[in-house]
Amino acid sequence: HVQLVESGGGSVQVGGSLTLSCVASGDTIGRYCMGWFRQIPDREREGVAGIESDGSTSYADSVKGRFIISQDGAKKTLYLQMNSLKPEDTALYYCAADSRPKSRDYLLLNRNEYNYWGQGTQVTVS
């Protein structure tokens, strides 16, 4: 079993930056793939960025060049560095993890590919 706890959300001005963190505990999380998702009311949860256990990454087109996903050396904390933030980035951001490696990097952005989820942290850009 894996527990995920996000932090770092808040309010930021357009063009500003914010870094989200997700602390993972439980199973051997270092072998897991992990991802960041976001959701606004009445919309489906969408993949933002994902990272495999080997370090390969995938990003949604809407955030490429602005967001960076990374992990600490022990792979206990997942980060999402968000730069040049836009109002459309406003959402509840979730951290997710899954023990199954993905056959294609784009699957890292598929919410159905993840079994474990955090509670979310709100990001508001205005």
Side-chain angles (χ1 to χ4, degrees):
H1 189 65
V2 172
Q3 295 83 39
L4 303 172
V5 179
E6 305 97 334
S7 63
S11 297
V12 63
Q13 292 184 336
V14 172
S17 298
L18 208 58
T19 299
L20 305 183
S21 300
C22 171
V23 176
S25 60
D27 201 355
T28 312
I29 197 68
R31 295 186 287 107
Y32 281 50
C33 57
M34 299 188 74
W36 287 100
F37 289 75
R38 65 188 181 187
Q39 188 171 20
I40 59 176
D42 300 324
R43 295 285 295 274
E44 291 185 346
R45 193 171 298 185
E46 65 171 0
V48 175
I51 185 167
E52 272 284 11
S53 59
D54 65 1
S56 59
T57 59
S58 184
Y59 293 91
D61 288 343
S62 59
V63 306
K64 280 180 181 176
R66 299 189 299 124
F67 290 11
I68 300 172
I69 188 172
S70 63
Q71 291 177 297
D72 67 349
K75 295 187 178 180
K76 292 291 187 181
T77 304
L78 181 72
Y79 301 99
L80 184 68
Q81 181 181 338
M82 304 184 294
N83 302 314
S84 301
L85 283 163
K86 304 175 181 180
E88 50 264 43
D89 294 319
T90 295
L92 188 59
Y93 282 73
Y94 295 91
C95 172
D98 194 79
S99 62
R100 301 164 294 175
K102 311 310 174 193
S103 57
R104 297 288 187 271
D105 285 346
Y106 70 85
L107 292 174
L108 290 168
L109 303 182
N110 186 328
R111 64 184 184 277
N112 297 317
E113 292 286 329
Y114 291 84
N115 278 328
Y116 300 101
W117 294 87
Q119 293 301 306
T121 185
Q122 178 68 36
V123 173
T124 302
V125 185
S126 60

